[in-house]
Amino acid sequence: MAKRIAIVGGGAIGAELAKSLEASATVTLIEQCSHYVHAPAMIRAVVEPSILDQALIPYDTLLTQGTFVQARAVSIDAGGVQLNDGSRIDADYIVVATGSENATPFKPKGADIAGLRADNARIHEMLKAASTVAIVGAGAVGTELAGEIAHFTPEKKIKLISSDATLFPQMPKRLGRSLEKKLVAAGVEVILGARAMNLENMTEPYAGVLELTNGQSVQADLIFPAIGSRGSSELLRALPDVKMGTANRAITDQWMRPSSLPNIFAAGDVAEMGDAMTVVATTRQLPWLIKTLKTVLVGQKIEDQKPYTPWKKAPILIPLGPFKGNSFLSLFTAGDFLTRQIKGKDLFLKKRNNFFDRN
Ligand SMILES: Cc1cc2nc3c(=O)[nH]c(=O)nc-3n(C[C@H](O)[C@H](O)[C@H](O)COP(=O)(O)OP(=O)(O)OC[C@H]3O[C@@H](n4cnc5c(N)ncnc54)[C@H](O)[C@@H]3O)c2cc1C
């Protein structure tokens, strides 16, 4: 009998894994949402809601041999996954790919895709009405958001606030310097080395006044918190011998196992194994996971397989609207042209929809 694999979470890594393994095992993909949320497009969608229809992709065309179950997993054990409707999926192997949460309106709250659409429409209206916008946090999401708003609505006064002394301090200096220059040229005020002391909400945009550690007061009609993702690790926390890392992620061993149960794996944002919380990380984890699970499915010992090694110098692409931006492509830093060609012009929407057989 074919081995059974249950994959919990159909995000960037879970959806691809399910499709890649459905011919090799009895695959069940358990996902709470009706639609795949293509996060890289959700930043521009705040300014250009018309792209939302391509960014939210129904799951019904994803699998041809495997089974898609729309449900919330409430617990896992060595033999399977318990669902919120009271049913259970028995499995020989389980991959937890429950990802992470982020701010409104970038990711849904739980399974609420209609709510995500409503939040997108509401925040878009707030943005249209705003003259001044402040973004707290200048990671990829905050920096891209500043660039998108500046590109599509250049009349707005935008302030991008970061407690770091430079943009992208972990990356080669050129990346941050060049992005800062382009943002400033587009009219964005980049405030570095200052922390917002009174951020009222970590996940919901709001109107208010920010007090910064450099003494500045920033009044804004719309303040976007952009302070990073938090792993959705509730299922993993309940497993034996789990160690939690940073940002609510569960630490895995070299074979992507987060607990002492040898047949349960975790990957993507929920799992800490030396990679950042990015789709880019999942593109490295995925081939390892597919190859390793296939060998385990035919009876080989996982400890005999090559352990996973994380990115040493992961690439990062930061478009500032559809035409500008900078990228670090592991070997070199690229400018407007490559950033636009690879990501900025369509934010991988065509590729994602092709993957779901939707074009
Ligand atoms: C606004 C934004 C823009 C981004 N842009 C980029 C980018 O341009 N490039 C890049 O590399 N990275 C980007 N990222 C990061 C990227 O989106 C994540 O790293 C990636 O989605 C992680 O994939 P994942 O499969 O681990 O988790 P997710 O994509 O978060 O998917 C997890 C899935 O699990 C489901 N789930 C959770 N709990 C349960 C449960 N109990 N039962 C059933 N289903 C459950 C969720 O509904 C979700 O569909 C961005 C993130 C954000 C927030």
Side-chain angles (χ1 to χ4, degrees), residues 9 11-13 31-32 39 73 98-100 107 268-269 277-280 343:
I13 198 158
E31 164 59 52
Q32 59 188 349
T98 44
S100 63
K107 280 199 166 180
D269 282 4
M277 292 164 111
T278 60
V279 178
V280 166
K343 179 173 172 188

Side-chain angles (χ1 to χ4, degrees), residues 11-13 16 36 38-40 140 144 171 249 256 267-269 273-288 308-319 326-330 342-343 348 351-352:
I13 198 158
E16 294 234 16
Y36 178 90
H38 180 59
E144 281 189 41
M171 291 292 178
R249 307 172 91 188
M256 294 193 195
D269 282 4
M273 59 186 89
D275 286 321
M277 292 164 111
T278 60
V279 178
V280 166
T282 70
T283 63
R284 185 173 174 89
Q285 293 168 14
L286 194 65
W288 183 92
Y308 175 73
T309 52
W311 278 105
K312 282 203 177 74
K313 286 183 174 184
I316 186 168
L317 295 112
I318 308 291
N326 282 96
S327 302
F328 172 64
L329 300 174
S330 295
I342 302 172
K343 179 173 172 188
F348 309 113
K351 192 169 166 220
R352 251 312 141 197

Side-chain angles (χ1 to χ4, degrees), residues 12-200:
I13 198 158
E16 294 234 16
L17 186 66
K19 196 160 172 158
S20 305
L21 290 177
E22 64 174 342
S24 314
T26 303
V27 169
T28 306
L29 176 62
I30 301 155
E31 164 59 52
Q32 59 188 349
C33 292
S34 57
H35 290 63
Y36 178 90
V37 178
H38 180 59
M42 294 306 289
I43 301 168
R44 185 171 300 163
V46 179
V47 199
E48 278 286 286
S50 61
I51 66 171
L52 211 56
D53 284 338
Q54 287 169 281
L56 304 177
I57 310 170
Y59 276 104
D60 54 359
T61 48
L62 177 66
L63 301 179
T64 50
Q65 299 173 65
T67 306
F68 176 79
V69 175
Q70 194 189 337
R72 181 168 177 79
V74 290
S75 67
I76 49 177
D77 54 67
V81 184
Q82 204 64 43
L83 307 183
N84 61 339
D85 60 7
S87 64
R88 179 179 168 85
I89 308 288
D90 291 324
D92 301 298
Y93 299 97
I94 299 167
V95 182
V96 177
T98 44
S100 63
E101 292 170 359
N102 201 280
T104 306
F106 302 130
K107 280 199 166 180
K109 297 180 180 95
D112 194 2
I113 294 291
L116 179 61
R117 284 183 185 279
D119 283 338
N120 168 276
R122 178 173 56 83
I123 309 267
H124 175 68
E125 286 308 315
M126 284 171 81
L127 179 62
K128 261 174 43 188
S131 313
T132 52
V133 178
I135 299 162
V136 180
V141 172
T143 303
E144 281 189 41
L145 183 62
E148 296 291 339
I149 299 173
H151 172 82
F152 287 99
T153 52
E155 69 285 359
K156 296 197 193 299
K157 281 205 166 71
I158 306 159
K159 292 180 202 276
L160 177 64
I161 301 159
S162 170
S163 55
D164 290 323
T166 61
L167 292 180
F168 298 94
Q170 266 66 274
M171 291 292 178
K173 282 201 174 71
R174 252 187 95 186
L175 181 79
R177 265 204 312 255
S178 184
L179 285 166
E180 186 182 347
K181 249 194 212 159
K182 287 177 190 178
L183 285 169
V184 171
V188 176
E189 186 182 344
V190 181
I191 304 174
L192 296 170
R195 189 180 291 276
M197 296 185 290
N198 62 335
L199 188 62
E200 278 171 26

Side-chain angles (χ1 to χ4, degrees), residues 188-313:
V188 176
E189 186 182 344
V190 181
I191 304 174
L192 296 170
R195 189 180 291 276
M197 296 185 290
N198 62 335
L199 188 62
E200 278 171 26
N201 203 314
M202 307 290 173
T203 54
E204 296 288 320
Y206 66 97
V209 181
L210 293 167
E211 302 299 342
L212 307 188
T213 44
N214 65 2
Q216 234 176 309
S217 274
V218 173
Q219 184 283 326
D221 303 324
L222 193 52
I223 298 169
F224 283 96
I227 53 174
S229 299
R230 283 188 63 77
S232 303
S233 52
E234 296 74 19
L235 294 174
L236 297 176
R237 276 176 183 277
L239 296 179
D241 306 312
V242 168
K243 286 195 186 67
M244 296 307 294
T246 52
N248 223 22
R249 307 172 91 188
I251 297 170
T252 65
D253 71 5
Q254 292 172 296
W255 293 278
M256 294 193 195
R257 296 174 303 182
S259 74
S260 49
L261 299 176
N263 62 331
I264 298 185
F265 299 81
D269 282 4
V270 75
E272 191 165 288
M273 59 186 89
D275 286 321
M277 292 164 111
T278 60
V279 178
V280 166
T282 70
T283 63
R284 185 173 174 89
Q285 293 168 14
L286 194 65
W288 183 92
L289 207 44
I290 294 166
K291 189 168 166 228
T292 307
L293 285 173
K294 279 187 178 170
T295 58
V296 169
L297 284 171
V298 295
Q300 295 195 27
K301 255 182 87 182
I302 189 151
E303 288 79 6
D304 295 338
Q305 311 310 311
K306 210 171 153 214
Y308 175 73
T309 52
W311 278 105
K312 282 203 177 74
K313 286 183 174 184

